[in-house]
Structures are given as structure tokens and as C-alpha cells.
Amino acid sequence: MTSKQFTSVWLREPRKAASPGRSRDEIVSATVELLDAEGLNGLSMRKLGAKLSAGATSLYWYVANKDELLELAYDQVWAEMSVPDPDEVGWRDSAAVLAHSMRQVMLRHPWSADIVGRMPALGPHAMHVADRMRRMFKLAGFRGTEIDFAGSTLTAFVFGMTIPEIAWDTATSGDDYDPEAMRDLVRKAAARYPEMLASIDMDRYDDPRVVRELCFDFGLVSMLDGLERRLTTA
Amino acid sequence: MTSKQFTSVWLREPRKAASPGRSRDEIVSATVELLDAEGLNGLSMRKLGAKLSAGATSLYWYVANKDELLELAYDQVWAEMSVPDPDEVGWRDSAAVLAHSMRQVMLRHPWSADIVGRMPALGPHAMHVADRMRRMFKLAGFRGTEIDFAGSTLTAFVFGMTIPEIAWDTATSGDDYDPEAMRDLVRKAAARYPEMLASIDMDRYDDPRVVRELCFDFGLVSMLDGLERRLTTA
DNA sequence: ACCTGAACACCGTTCAAGT
DNA sequence: ACCTGAACACCGTTCAAGT
């Protein structure tokens, strides 16, 4: 009764790509542009309609609802990720490049952080990345379900590092970043934990981006080492 | 001009906890209940007001806006996480227990997956977990910024594993889960990658929860091994 | 000190109607 | 086949007004 069937754009046949009218591609790239410019809350059917100089409700001809629009936009994000062929550069380099690429792409499309928790990535571009990742870990020497587990571990790490990073960026939204205000904030939040407070490196707030980069690399190396360990222990 | 100052509930003094009127605690637990029952989109000021048998706009006396409400609710999630004292059980066990606890708590409050990417965790309960985590990795032998890096790596792994898991759960929203329909979906999505398709373990869709558990454990062990490796290499 | 209702500027989606 | 506008049932937030 209260339960809804699972639905997804990828389960429906799209409208015939007829000559007149707008194309789905047009709509999707306008959606991505709007999301990049105004964020997830900035996207509304009315605004998107206006951007395409059409009525808001015209969009419902191409798409069942707003969620489908987001699914389509989300897959565009996956399209931007680059995975070098593992057969050419080896699994570990291939994994490292993918990880950095995923992070950069998400930082360019901060709204994607809100989508990862809302809908599974089932689009063709996500599938392409998944396929490459499988080959990557197969080449590494994993077998059976562990191939998937290794892939999940890699994407988990990247998502988990990048999503909170985006939370910080959008909260401090950009251009008027004030390191001293940030230090005050942290001092206030951690006031009851003097030990923690004493050991926080306050310089990191001068330019948080460089520390984050170091942190990401530290975690990535750890994770890859950990995966490699699985191979020798088997 | 377009830039907003960073704001947070944790930067303001709360209203005096006077005797009459609703207390902030009351409001926060009603918020969490509503979020658990109806999800992030199900929470509206009007519904929350009604639940407290008050006008929707009364809430603005206690809270500046809806985001502050979410910050308060989010910290309640951190309150439910359990971290054994690392001095008693050792850093590795302490980390593993925290990781499992974080995951379970998030699965109980699926709306938290949407918040991780939207606002930093600065509440007192989040700080308590952060403090314990610092001590955990200090005990392990990390020094300086690496203490923080190790902590970030741990939480990144848990968030990154759990957030997409929640996306799946909410997309297939519960009670009418049909394994066969799921297999069809996956077959359709992966149709263009026969190699991938051939090696996907279709049994996993009978009860996805057990596979996820295995996957989480696999990743967790890898990650902890990887961190341990950092210690011996230094 | 606390709460209210009216009002404003928005939403997503449905649907009958137009071409 | 494609697009429209009106309409419905919602939103978050402000603000003057009440007690």
C-alpha cells in the first residue's frame, strides 16, 4: 500500500528522438548547468523551463518527474570521470588516477554530493566506470565477489572523503573565506576538549585545500595498501 | 555581495531555557521522529509545528531557520554512535566497533545520508566522537597531522560505504522488495558489458543485506590494515 | 517572553485544451 | 507529436499583532 515500486529513467525507453522539439540531451545539459550554477535547491522545473524558453510543464513530455532529471544529470557526472585502461598502466595507477578524477569531478559538481545518498548510479556512464573498475581489480588478482568488494571499497573511500569536503565548501560558500573566523569557530566547537584543541593544527585553515589534498593522498595510499594486503594473505 | 557569512546553530547562544514554552530538546526529538518517519522531504515546518501542536511559525522563536533544525537533528545522530575507550580495548578494536556503530546509526536514520554533504558536523556529540577518535589514533602511534588523516580515512570509509547503501534502500523503499525485479534491472543496466554481467553474482540480490555486511567487513579490514602499514613504514 | 495568522514568493505535478 | 496555462496542494520565511 505505502510501498512504491522501484523506478528509474534507465528502465524506461526514452521518447523517440524525433526531429522537432527539444532533445533530451539539450534538457540534460541545461539541467547540469543550472545545478552547477545554483545548486540542488536552485533547480526548479520552472527555472529550467525558462532557461529552455519553454513552459515549466513542457518538460514532463520528456521526463516523468524531477527525480528522473536528476538521474540523467547524475550520469553526466560519471561521464566526466576518467579511468585509464588498467591493462596499460597497471591496476594500482589506474585506481589512483580514477580516485583523484572522481574527487575532482564531484568538487566541480557539488550537487552530486546530495545525490549519492538518494539514488543508485545505474546510468550508462556509471556502468562504464564500473566495468573498468572490475577489470582493474581482476587484473590485480582478486577473484569472485572480492572483485566487487574491492571496487566498493575504492568508491567508498572517494565518496566518503569528498562528500564532507563539499559540505564544508558550501557552508563557507566561497569567496569571502576568512581563516581567522574559521579558527574561532573550531575553537568554540572544540572548547570542551582541550586535548583535541591543543593538537589541532591551526595553520590548516589558512588554505584548507592543501591539507585536504594531503589527507586524501594519505587515505588513498592506505586504502590501496590495505587492498594489496588482501592479495598476499589469500 | 552574493557571498553569505558562514552560520551555524553552534555559533549562537541558544535561548534561555526558561520554564514555560517548548524546550529545544522537545523540538529536536520531534524533528528526529518526523525525519525518521517521513524522510528529509517529509519534514516541513508546518508538519513539525502540528506535531508539537503549535503554529508552524512558532518554531522560529527557537531556531533561526530550517537548516539550524537539521544541524540539531544531525548532532543527535552522532549522539547514538558508540566508541569504546581505546585505552581499554586497543585502537584497532575501538575503530572497528565505531565503524560498525556509525553504519548502523546511519541506516537507522537514512536522512542523515543527505546531510553529510550539506553541513559539517560541529555539534557537541560529533565533537565527542572526534575526540575519542583522536585518542584512538594517537594510541595507535600516529603523530601530528596524521592523527587527523587517519580519522578522516576511517569516517570516509564508513560514510562512503553507507551513503550509497542508503540510496539503494530508499530507492527500493522497503516492504515489497522483489529480488527477481532487481536482477532484471541490473541485467538491463549492465547489458552492454557482457563480461561484467557474466561475473555478477546474481544470488546477492536474494538478500542484499548479507552481501553488504561482507563487503563492509572486507573494506574495513583492508582500511585498517592500510593504516597499520603507515605506522611500520614511518 | 512566547505564540499566532495572514501574506509573499515560491515549489512539483496533473490535466484538459490547444496546435 | 509536442506544448501550454490554469489549478491544486504544498513549501520556507517575514512580520505586525496579540497575550
Side-chain angles (χ1 to χ4, degrees):
Chain A
M1 205 75 305
T2 63
S3 62
K4 300 171 293 184
Q5 269 298 331
F6 176 74
T7 58
S8 165
V9 226
W10 313 114
L11 287 176
R12 298 194 302 113
E13 288 306 317
R15 297 273 183 198
K16 298 264 158 55
S19 22
R22 286 146 194 95
S23 74
R24 187 176 260 195
D25 279 359
E26 249 181 299
I27 293 174
V28 174
S29 48
T31 305
V32 172
E33 274 175 38
L34 201 49
L35 285 166
D36 287 346
E38 315 206 19
L40 196 57
N41 287 338
L43 175 73
S44 79
M45 301 304 263
R46 287 166 224 260
K47 277 193 212 163
L48 183 58
K51 195 179 168 81
L52 293 160
S53 37
T57 55
S58 320
L59 299 163
Y60 287 88
W61 175 257
Y62 299 92
V63 121
N65 51 41
K66 198 184 175 183
D67 269 1
E68 286 203 358
L69 220 41
L70 291 176
E71 276 192 283
L72 292 167
Y74 186 29
D75 199 51
Q76 284 308 112
V77 171
W78 287 90
E80 290 181 35
M81 298 176 185
S82 58
V83 210
D85 192 327
D87 291 316
E88 288 172 24
V89 301
W91 78 271
R92 217 181 139 125
D93 277 3
S94 173
V97 170
L98 171 60
H100 280 104
S101 168
M102 283 182 73
R103 172 165 175 266
Q104 293 300 338
V105 171
M106 289 188 70
L107 292 175
R108 276 206 297 276
H109 305 292
W111 47 274
S112 64
D114 285 321
I115 296 195
V116 177
R118 254 217 267 290
M119 40 181 85
L122 290 169
H125 293 110
M127 284 297 148
H128 176 252
V129 174
D131 180 56
R132 273 274 167 83
M133 234 162 56
R134 277 197 66 81
R135 287 165 49 197
M136 190 165 98
F137 288 116
K138 210 166 169 185
L139 180 69
F142 290 100
R143 291 292 168 256
T145 53
E146 299 213 335
I147 299 173
D148 292 313
F149 291 174
S152 294
T153 303
L154 176 62
T155 57
F157 169 73
V158 177
F159 282 150
M161 273 290 179
T162 311
I163 288 172
E165 217 177 309
I166 289 171
W168 272 102
D169 282 347
T170 58
T172 60
S173 62
D175 37 11
D176 64 341
Y177 179 76
D178 175 359
E180 199 45 53
M182 218 62 235
R183 279 186 274 263
D184 277 346
L185 164 58
V186 170
R187 270 190 280 262
K188 190 157 182 172
R192 319 188 95 196
Y193 301 95
E195 214 183 315
M196 179 160 78
L197 203 50
S199 61
I200 290 177
D201 168 29
M202 283 295 168
D203 291 341
R204 71 177 292 168
Y205 298 104
D206 285 336
D207 186 354
R209 281 174 304 165
V210 333
V211 182
R212 285 181 198 162
E213 211 88 40
L214 288 173
C215 184
F216 188 85
D217 285 330
F218 173 93
L220 182 58
V221 170
S222 305
M223 208 219 56
L224 293 175
D225 278 357
L227 289 179
E228 210 161 344
R229 184 87 206 292
R230 296 276 77 64
L231 293 166
T232 58
T233 318
Chain B
M1 206 80 300
T2 63
S3 63
K4 301 172 291 184
Q5 269 298 330
F6 176 75
T7 58
S8 165
V9 226
W10 313 114
L11 286 176
R12 298 193 303 111
E13 289 305 317
R15 297 274 184 199
K16 298 265 159 54
S19 22
R22 285 147 193 94
S23 73
R24 185 174 263 195
D25 279 359
E26 248 180 299
I27 293 175
V28 174
S29 47
T31 305
V32 172
E33 276 173 38
L34 201 48
L35 284 167
D36 287 347
E38 315 205 21
L40 195 56
N41 287 337
L43 175 74
S44 78
M45 301 304 264
R46 287 168 224 261
K47 277 194 213 164
L48 183 59
K51 196 180 167 78
L52 293 160
S53 37
T57 55
S58 320
L59 299 163
Y60 287 88
W61 175 257
Y62 299 93
V63 122
N65 51 41
K66 199 184 174 183
D67 269 1
E68 287 203 357
L69 219 41
L70 290 177
E71 276 191 284
L72 293 167
Y74 186 30
D75 199 51
Q76 284 307 112
V77 170
W78 287 89
E80 289 180 35
M81 298 176 185
S82 59
V83 209
D85 192 326
D87 291 315
E88 287 171 24
V89 302
W91 77 271
R92 220 182 135 123
D93 276 3
S94 174
V97 170
L98 172 59
H100 279 105
S101 169
M102 284 182 73
R103 173 166 175 266
Q104 293 301 337
V105 171
M106 290 187 70
L107 292 175
R108 275 206 298 275
H109 304 293
W111 47 273
S112 64
D114 285 319
I115 296 194
V116 177
R118 253 218 267 290
M119 40 181 83
L122 290 168
H125 292 109
M127 285 297 147
H128 176 251
V129 174
D131 180 56
R132 272 273 168 84
M133 233 162 58
R134 278 198 65 81
R135 285 164 51 197
M136 190 166 99
F137 288 115
K138 211 167 167 184
L139 180 69
F142 290 101
R143 289 295 168 256
T145 53
E146 298 214 333
I147 300 172
D148 292 312
F149 292 175
S152 294
T153 303
L154 176 62
T155 56
F157 169 73
V158 178
F159 282 151
M161 273 289 178
T162 312
I163 288 172
E165 216 177 311
I166 288 171
W168 273 102
D169 282 348
T170 58
T172 59
S173 63
D175 34 10
D176 63 342
Y177 180 75
D178 176 359
E180 199 44 54
M182 219 63 236
R183 278 186 276 263
D184 277 347
L185 164 59
V186 170
R187 270 191 279 261
K188 191 156 182 173
R192 319 188 94 197
Y193 301 95
E195 215 184 314
M196 181 160 76
L197 202 50
S199 61
I200 289 177
D201 168 27
M202 284 295 169
D203 291 340
R204 70 177 290 169
Y205 298 105
D206 285 336
D207 186 355
R209 281 173 304 165
V210 333
V211 181
R212 287 179 195 163
E213 211 88 40
L214 288 172
C215 184
F216 189 85
D217 284 330
F218 173 94
L220 182 58
V221 170
S222 305
M223 207 219 56
L224 294 175
D225 278 356
L227 289 179
E228 209 161 345
R229 185 86 205 291
R230 298 274 77 63
L231 293 165
T232 57
T233 319

